[in-house]
Amino acid sequence: MRVLGVSAFYHDSAAALVVDGRIVAAAQEERFTRKKHDAGFPNHAIAYCLEAAGLTLEQVDFVAFYDKPFLKFERLLETYLAFAPKGFTSFRMAMPVWLREKLFQKDLLRKELKKIAPAFDGEKLVFTEHHLSHAASAFFPSPFENAAVLTMDGVGEWATTSLAMGQGSKLDIHKEIHFPHSLGLLYSAFTYYTGFKVNSGEYKIMGLAPYGTPKYAQTIRDNLIDVKDDGSYRLNMDYFDYCTGLTMTNAKFDALFGGPPRKAEQLLTQREMDLTASVQHVLEEVVIKMARAIAKETGARNLCLAGGVALNCVANGKVLRDGAFDNIWIQPASGDAGGALGAALSVSHGIGGVTRSVAASGDGMAGAYLGPSYEQADIEARLKAAGAVFEVLDDKAVIADTAQALADGKAVGWFQGRMEFGPRALGNRSILGDPRSPKMQSVLNLKVKYRESFRPFAPSVLREHVSEWFEIDSDSPYMLLVADVVKGKRRVMTAAEEALFGIDKLNVPRSEIPAVTHVDYSARVQTVHKETNPQYHALISAFAKKTKCPVVVNTSFNVRGEPLVCSPEDAFRCFMGTEIEVLVVGNCLLRKEKQDPALKLNYETAFELD
C-alpha cells in the first residue's frame, strides 16, 4: 500500500510517502523553493518523495490531502454570519479567493497531480480531517501500542483542540473544542501584539518569556480565557479580532494591556517580556490541566502530542515532569507540514487496511531524517561548480578535524546525510558551536544567524550522558522537551546579577555551558543516539574526548528568514554569506580563509524577516 500525503495552500506545504505503513520520505516545499513557509502546491517535495521510493505518481494507491476544504468554508461562512454585519471588509476580501480557488481545491489538486502524471486517476485523491491528520502523525509513528493523543493548534476545519485515542491500527477522535476558542490563536494574538509575525514568530514568544515575569497572567485569566478544571476553555471574543477582522486583537485588548501593539523590529521593552511570560504561563497551566484530566478520564499511561502548540517545548517539558503520564511522544513536524505525513498514515492504516507495527526500538520517524541526501561524488561536483575550495578527508579525519574546530571556538556548518523533516535541525543540517564559550550565543545570533540577541540555542547531548548535565533522563531526540541544567553544572549568581531585569540578563554566564543555558537555567535538549545518527554521535563523542563536555551547540543551518539549507549549494551560499568559519559537507571540509573573496555574499539582508 503506497500513500502520498500532501499539505498545501495555507502555510508550510509538504509531502510525505508511506509504503506499507513505513515512512519512506517526507519534506517541506520551502526547502526546495527557498521561500520560508511556502504555501504553494508541493511539486518539489512530491517529486523528491517519489524519487526516494523509486515510484511514479501512477504507482501510488492513494493521495491523501490533510484537511477538508468544504468544512473550512463552512466555518468561514458561519463565522461571518454569526458576527454580521461586523467584519464585512474581511468577508469581502476573503470571498473572492475562496470562490475562485479554495472552494474548488479538489479540482485544483487533481489538475496539479495530472500535471505531474497525465494518467493519474483522480479517484485516488482522498481527504482527511485536519485534526485527524495531526493525531495520526503523532500516534502511528509513536513507540506506543496504545495512547491518548492531544492535538492543539490554531484551527483546522472547526477543531482547535482535540482528544483522540489510539489502539493498534485504530485511531478515533473522542472530543473537540471548536473555533473561535483556540489556545493556538490566543498565543498567536500575543505574538501579534508583541510585534512578531503570526504563524512564524510564536517560538520567539517562548524564547523571550524567561526574561519577564508573568505579571499579566491573572489579567489574562480574568478577561481573556475561562478555564475549567479539566482544561476545557472558552475565549472572550470581545478582545479579539481574528474572527472577522484583519488583525488578531482589537482596541479593547490594547486598553486592557495599556497600549497599542509593538511595531515589528521596534526595541523590546520589559513590558513585552512580561506579556510573553504571562501568556506562556497561562498556556502551560491549561495544557497541564488537560493532560491531568485526560489521564484520569481515559486511564491511558502514554500521551502523544501534535499540532502547532505541541512545538512549545517548555510546556511539553512541564507536562512530562508533572507525571500524569508515564511516557510522552511528540511528533517532530507537529505543524501543518506534519499534516501531510498524518494524512498518509491515516489513509494507510484506515481505508488502506495496513496493520500497524510498533518499532522494536525508538519510533517510526527514523530520527526525522526523511529528506534528501547527496552522494559524495555529487557533493564534490556541486561544490566545484559553485567555486568552493575544499579538501576531501576520510571519515575518521572529518570527525577529528571538525571536533578540533569546535574545541577551537569556531562556528561550524555541518551538512550530512538526509535532511530533517520538521522545523528543527537535528544534526544533519546544523550550525554547531562550543557550548562552554560565554560568547558563542551572541556570536551565533548576531554574526551568523543575523537574528535577535535574546534567542536561545539548543544543546545536542549524547543520550548516555544527558542526566549528568540536564534534569532529564529520557529520550528527547527531536528537541521538543525543555529541562534545566543540573545544579552541579550551574554558576552561582552574584546579588547584583540576580537583581538584573529583562535583556540585561543575557550576557551573564549561568553554567559550565553558558551558550545553551537560558536565563532561567533551562535548555531545549536534543538527545543524540548512536542508532539513528552514528556520525553526529561520533562527532560529539570526539568533542567530549577533547573537552570532557559531551554537549555541542546546535542551531539550524540558515539565517533569519531563510529555510533550512537543503542542497550543498545552499550550504555553501550560507557559509559565504555569514561568519561561519568552517563548513563540512559530507567528507568535504571548507575553511573560510581559503575561499575566493569574490564569492562572499551579504546574507544579513538577503531574506524577508520572520
Side-chain angles (χ1 to χ4, degrees), residues 135-146:
S137 78
F139 175 64
F140 289 122
S142 78
F144 311 136
E145 181 62 33
N146 55 75

Side-chain angles (χ1 to χ4, degrees), residues 28 134 137 307 311 330-339 341 365 421-423 480:
Q28 290 122 285
H134 277 315
S137 78
L311 293 172
I330 307 144
Q331 166 53 240
S334 278
D336 273 14
L341 175 60
M365 286 295 293
F421 181 55
L480 285 170

Side-chain angles (χ1 to χ4, degrees), residues 202 237 248 444 513 520:
E202 281 76 8
M237 298 313 298
M248 293 297 296
L444 287 178
I513 44 174
D520 58 354

Side-chain angles (χ1 to χ4, degrees), residues 6 20 46 96 121 277 304 363 368 483 528-529 575:
V6 173
D20 296 331
I46 289 171
D121 179 2
C304 298
D363 56 46
V528 179
H529 304 248
F575 172 60

Side-chain angles (χ1 to χ4, degrees), residues 44-217:
H44 299 86
I46 289 171
Y48 155 68
C49 288
L50 292 171
E51 183 184 357
L55 297 174
T56 63
L57 187 59
E58 292 95 335
Q59 292 173 308
V60 168
D61 295 297
F62 292 102
V63 175
F65 192 68
Y66 82 127
D67 70 6
K68 294 190 172 182
F70 270 106
L71 287 179
K72 267 191 177 174
F73 183 66
E74 174 190 85
R75 186 245 302 165
L76 190 76
L77 267 185
E78 288 194 22
T79 300
Y80 281 125
L81 287 171
F83 284 85
K86 185 183 174 185
F88 179 72
T89 301
S90 176
F91 176 81
R92 189 178 61 198
M93 291 173 68
M95 279 303 102
V97 177
W98 271 94
L99 294 174
R100 187 174 63 249
E101 298 171 14
K102 296 189 177 184
L103 194 54
F104 304 102
Q105 272 182 8
K106 186 172 186 179
D107 290 338
L108 176 60
L109 286 163
R110 283 177 170 171
K111 285 175 184 174
E112 292 290 349
L113 292 165
K114 283 183 177 290
K115 285 179 189 175
I116 298 170
F120 175 76
D121 179 2
E123 295 305 310
K124 291 181 177 180
L125 177 62
V126 294
F127 295 79
T128 61
E129 288 196 19
H130 188 95
H131 268 232
L132 183 61
S133 295
H134 277 315
S137 78
F139 175 64
F140 289 122
S142 78
F144 311 136
E145 181 62 33
N146 55 75
V149 187
L150 177 59
T151 296
M152 302 167 288
D153 63 3
V155 60
E157 294 90 359
W158 277 104
T160 64
T161 303
S162 65
L163 167 65
M165 298 301 296
Q167 172 72 51
S169 302
K170 288 198 68 179
L171 179 67
D172 299 298
I173 290 181
H174 285 216
K175 287 183 176 181
E176 293 181 338
I177 295 173
H178 284 180
F179 182 86
H181 310 291
S182 166
L183 268 186
L185 292 175
L186 172 68
Y187 207 79
S188 291
F190 279 85
T191 303
Y192 164 80
Y193 188 67
T194 52
F196 300 109
K197 192 178 286 187
V198 172
N199 292 327
S200 174
E202 281 76 8
Y203 58 94
K204 297 183 187 181
I205 301 299
M206 184 177 65
L208 188 60
Y211 293 98
T213 56
K215 62 187 288 185
Y216 299 103

Side-chain angles (χ1 to χ4, degrees), residues 348-425:
S348 180
H349 294 296
I351 59 177
V354 174
T355 301
R356 174 175 178 249
S357 59
V358 178
S361 63
D363 56 46
M365 286 295 293
Y369 305 114
L370 296 165
S373 63
Y374 297 83
E375 297 295 329
Q376 179 62 25
D378 190 24
I379 290 170
E380 291 177 30
R382 287 168 177 264
L383 290 177
K384 279 178 186 171
V389 176
F390 56 89
E391 52 186 318
V392 179
L393 307 175
D394 63 29
D395 293 346
K396 204 169 179 181
V398 164
I399 297 296
D401 285 22
T402 306
Q404 188 60 57
L406 291 170
D408 290 341
K410 290 181 165 51
V412 177
W414 180 251
F415 181 109
Q416 303 292 329
R418 295 184 74 176
M419 182 178 67
E420 299 90 338
F421 181 55
R424 309 287 184 226

Side-chain angles (χ1 to χ4, degrees), residues 26 34 48 120 184 186 189 219 253 276 292 294 314 325 353 380 382 436 462-463 467-468:
R34 314 307 301 154
Y48 155 68
F120 175 76
L186 172 68
T219 303
F253 192 102
T276 59
R292 288 174 180 171
I294 290 167
V314 179
F325 289 90
E380 291 177 30
R382 287 168 177 264
R436 302 169 303 155
L462 299 178
R463 172 62 181 93
S467 62
E468 299 164 23

